[in-house]
Structure formats: C-alpha cells, structure tokens
Amino acid sequence: MQKRKFGKPLSLGLKKTGSTATQPVKQVNLRVFADDAAEAQWPDELAAKEASDKKKRNLDTFLEELKQEHEQEAKRLSRRAEAPPENTTNLHINNLPSDVDEQVLCTVFGKFGAIGSVKILWPRGDEPARPHNTGFVCFMERAAAEAALQSLSNAELHGQPLRISWGKPVPLPSKPLYVLGEDEAPTGQPFNARSGVADDVPEVQVARPTNSRTLRLIHWTVEHVIRHGPRFECLLISRVHNDPRFRFLVDWQSADHAYYRWRMYSLLCGDTKDHWRQRMFMMYDAVPVWVPPTVAVHPVAWNLESSESEEHGDTELSSRTRGRLQRRVDRVQNSGRGVIASAMAMAVECAHAPEQVVDIVCQAFANAQTPTAKLAKLHLVSDILHNSAAPVANAWRLRQAFEPRLEEVFDALVLAHRAIDARLRAEQFRKRVLAVLAVWETWVVYPAERIYELAAKFMD
C-alpha cells in the first residue's frame, strides 16, 4: 500500500530549543477579530443613528410647518392690505366685545363720516354667549371708510383690540342711518329744541344717554342736588366746569343736559326712578315742549330708593348685627386698609339704620385711647362718607346722619392732638387730620363753610 504524502506541518512561528518549553518568536496579532467585535456592536449604533435621523426629520417637519404658517399669514395680511374693489365702503370688524351694540358702533365709527348700515352677528337663541362678536359697518362714502380703517385698526374698544378689514360691497340706503352730531347741531332754540309735529312749536326730545358711566354720573348728580338743593349744584359747577365728565352740567345744548334737566324735574314732580309720565309737557312758561323718553324695559341704574321702601323698611339693627358692627369698628386701631374696609362695608350694609351706625362709630371715637386709634376711626368715617354715594339702598342717609355728629368727632380729635407731648408728633397728627378735610372738600361731601369750621379747630 502506497503511503499518502502530507505537506509540511503548519508552523506557528515556534522554535524548538533544548528545553521542552516553547517561546513565541513573533507576537500574535490579537486584533484579528476586532472587526467582528465592531460588527457585534453595530445594531445599537444603528438604532441610535436612526433615532438621531428621526429627530432631525421631526425638526425639519416642524420648521417646514412653521414656515408654511408664516407664509399663509403673510398671504392673508397681504390680501387684507390689497386694495379692495373701488365700490365697497363696508368694513368687517372682528373681536368686538360682547357688550358692544349697534349704537356703540355708530358712536365710535360715526366720527369718520355718515354710516349707511350697521350689523352685529349676535349668537342665536340656542347658542352660548361668545367672548367676542363680529360686525359690519358700511359708510356712505369710501373716504370715510378708509379713514376709519386706518385709525381704528388694532384700537382698543372696551379693553379688546379691534380687527378691521374690508368687507364685501353692500347696497347703500338713500339716506344715512347715522350722522354724528346731527341731533346735536345747534338750532338756536333753548335746550337745542327742534321742530316737532307742529312746525311752530319746538320740541326737546329727551333721550337716555348710551354711555353707562355718564348715565350713572347724571343720576348721582341729580340725587345730590335734590338732597342738598340748588346751592350744591352751583358749588359743583364752580368746581368741575373744566371736567369733561361733567359736561352735561354746563353745556345746555347737549342731549345729556336735557336728560339731566328732565330727570330732576320728573322726580320733583312725583315720578319714580323706573316710571314716569309719558305725555309731553312744558317745563317753563314758554316753549319748548318736552317729550319724555320711553319707559325702560330694565330698571335704570339709580341710587335713590322709593319713599315707600324707606317708610316701610327696617330702621333698627338687630342685637346680633349691632354687636358684629361694634366689633368691627372696635378693631380699627390703626390705618390698616383691610380692617377699615371691613368695617366700612358693614356700615354701608346697615345704612337702613343710619343713626345707629353713626352712634356706634362716634362711641368708638370716645373710647379710643391713642391718637393713632382716633386717626384710624377718622379714616373709617371718611371711607363711609365716600361710599355713601354708592348705588346701595339708603347709603346716602349715612352722610346726613354724620353731619350733626361731626362736631363731637372733631372735638375728640382736638383733645387727642393737645394730649400729644412731642411737638413733631402733634404736628404730624394735625396735618393728617387736615389732609382728610381737604379730601372731603374735593369730594364736595359737605359745604365748604362747614369744612372750614372743622379745620379752624386745629388752627388755634
């Protein structure tokens, strides 16, 4: 049998020596399988890379969407800025406060020109109230619409910025719906009377003011003029004749003054705050004829209470209520606002018994042991007097009840002032008392002569 030949044995780089041990002639490269190890780690690295790529793709998508939104907004603004059709005078108004009605829109936009139509898209009967509405104002002339768009865009109305743009053209009426100042243009007649049914008899059409603040201020003034007489009205006019809020007192040709004059005359003739005579009448011996406004469906904001409620209402405090009020007033030992406000609020709530309220406050003055406590009580009285004009039942009676007791209140303050030994502290006390009286004079709480008499006690 023939022997099979084999090749040379595989040499591992070992060399025989005399001993049995072998030594490496050349170091083996142990990094032979390094690539295999890297390949073993590849799935983790690939997952991390894919996550990073995904984040980049999400970011790119977000940036692309943001870019598209900016482009859409720019296109929308450019469309708004584009010149609309020459035949449109209609303005689209967005973000209208929910308490703004057509009359307010006419007043705000009417100063730019005659208005042909006004429309507000109110919620339907089954829809909930919205925080803002949408409306349209159509002018009779294009120039007026352009001026309103330029001036009122982003202007605030009742705290909300208006968003105004051009609307679609709408047919114009033959006569304007609203022209600012048309009803107030001077006619030469008393109270700006105009021709009525009979051309030779001028009429004063009394209209309720649309501005709620002006309406409340007129009612406040009427109430106090009725309470304190014409002398109060003359004093008030001399103090506020430059104040635009009291324009109705000095501008006899304005519609607000006509309402003020009629409202006072109506109450003095026995009408109530919610019901009055609807027939025309002559306030003076000669013309014009006065035409009262229609009776309001909702009660008018007012401060006066009817005589029936005053006569039949409770005029005594219960022992529990009196005790609570006494404790709140006694807590007023310094000028902390919270304590004073709490006592003042309860005093106004108890205004149906003004004499008892004033008695409690004056007794607290007598019991106050320190000048600081007496000064705090004075601030309480000042707050009560200031809020006696609030639209709260019988609040006005607190002012009347305090007036005859002011003498003893300021006599107690004078004694406290004289009891202060330190000259500087005494002067500071005196100045703070006189500062309160100066505020009363500004508020026209009482006649100036009465306030001067109280101030003179600290001038000796």
Side-chain angles (χ1 to χ4, degrees), residues 29-337:
N29 185 6
L30 301 179
R31 299 288 296 172
V32 173
F33 298 101
D35 293 338
D36 295 341
E39 291 177 0
Q41 296 177 359
W42 178 81
D44 295 338
E45 293 181 357
L46 180 60
K49 184 178 179 181
E50 288 180 350
S52 177
D53 293 343
K54 185 177 181 180
K55 290 182 180 179
K56 291 182 179 179
R57 289 195 298 270
N58 291 339
L59 180 60
D60 293 339
T61 302
F62 171 75
L63 294 176
E64 184 65 24
E65 292 177 355
L66 187 62
K67 181 179 178 181
Q68 292 178 0
E69 290 181 1
H70 282 295
E71 290 177 354
Q72 293 176 0
E73 180 69 14
K75 291 180 180 179
R76 186 176 62 83
L77 294 177
S78 63
R79 287 195 302 266
R80 180 180 295 182
E82 290 177 358
E86 294 295 334
N87 60 342
T88 182
T89 60
N90 191 27
L91 296 180
H92 174 263
I93 307 163
N94 198 10
N95 204 37
L96 279 174
S98 57
D99 58 341
V100 170
D101 57 10
E102 290 82 354
Q103 181 62 38
V104 175
L105 280 183
C106 287
T107 304
V108 173
F109 284 80
K111 62 183 179 180
F112 297 97
I115 295 177
S117 63
V118 175
K119 181 180 181 180
I120 294 180
L121 303 181
W122 298 101
R124 297 180 180 178
D126 55 347
E127 292 183 7
R130 307 169 187 163
H132 54 79
N133 295 318
T134 300
F136 296 89
V137 175
C138 183
F139 286 88
M140 299 296 292
E141 297 180 356
R142 174 57 179 266
E146 291 178 348
L149 176 64
Q150 183 178 3
S151 300
L152 296 179
S153 292
N154 296 321
E156 288 193 359
L157 180 61
H158 294 188
Q160 294 184 200
L162 297 178
R163 303 285 184 254
I164 306 176
S165 60
W166 288 105
K168 296 181 180 179
V170 296
L172 294 176
S174 58
K175 293 183 179 180
L177 172 71
Y178 178 85
V179 178
L180 182 65
E182 188 178 59
D183 295 335
E184 296 187 2
T187 61
Q189 297 288 343
F191 303 101
N192 206 31
R194 299 179 179 276
S195 298
V197 178
D199 294 337
D200 57 341
V201 180
E203 297 178 357
V204 178
Q205 295 284 343
V206 180
R208 181 172 177 262
T210 57
N211 189 307
S212 59
R213 292 185 178 180
T214 302
L215 182 65
R216 287 195 296 268
L217 187 59
I218 290 176
H219 289 171
W220 181 90
T221 306
V222 169
E223 173 190 354
H224 288 77
V225 171
I226 291 177
R227 300 297 178 189
H228 303 291
R231 186 178 179 184
F232 175 86
E233 183 184 36
C234 295
L235 180 62
L236 183 62
I237 291 175
S238 65
R239 297 291 179 86
V240 301
H241 64 279
N242 291 326
D243 192 336
R245 296 175 302 172
F246 288 88
R247 175 174 171 261
F248 64 89
L249 280 175
V250 296
D251 187 359
W252 285 49
Q253 300 297 321
S254 67
D256 290 344
H257 179 83
Y259 177 83
Y260 165 73
R261 191 61 55 189
W262 164 81
R263 180 52 109 170
M264 187 181 305
Y265 181 86
S266 173
L267 291 172
L268 291 174
C269 290
D271 294 340
T272 66
K273 59 188 179 67
D274 295 327
H275 301 281
W276 52 82
R277 299 175 180 87
Q278 295 291 302
R279 295 182 179 179
M280 296 187 295
F281 66 95
M282 296 180 65
M283 188 179 298
Y284 303 95
D285 294 338
V287 293
V289 174
W290 290 68
V291 182
T294 57
V295 176
V297 176
H298 302 287
V300 180
W302 197 250
N303 292 338
L304 289 175
E305 293 297 313
S306 63
S307 58
E308 294 181 0
S309 62
E310 291 181 359
E311 292 176 359
H312 301 288
D314 296 333
T315 58
E316 295 291 335
L317 297 178
S318 65
S319 57
R320 181 179 179 181
T321 303
R322 185 181 179 91
R324 288 177 56 202
L325 179 60
Q326 181 72 55
R327 287 190 294 272
R328 291 197 186 186
V329 173
D330 290 340
R331 281 196 213 107
V332 180
Q333 298 296 328
N334 52 54
S335 298
R337 294 185 178 181

Side-chain angles (χ1 to χ4, degrees), residues 411-421 426 429 457-458 460:
D411 286 343
L413 290 171
V414 170
L415 293 177
H417 174 252
R418 293 175 180 175
I420 300 176
D421 296 331
F429 181 88
K457 295 178 178 292
F458 289 88
D460 297 338

Side-chain angles (χ1 to χ4, degrees), residues 344-363:
M344 178 273 298
M346 188 167 185
V348 174
E349 291 176 1
C350 300
H352 58 276
E355 290 78 11
Q356 294 186 12
V357 173
V358 173
D359 183 67
I360 291 174
V361 175
C362 292
Q363 187 64 35

Side-chain angles (χ1 to χ4, degrees), residues 430-448:
R430 186 181 73 89
K431 287 183 178 180
R432 296 182 69 176
V433 173
L434 294 178
V436 173
L437 290 175
V439 172
W440 289 6
E441 184 182 8
T442 304
W443 292 343
V444 197
V445 177
Y446 296 113

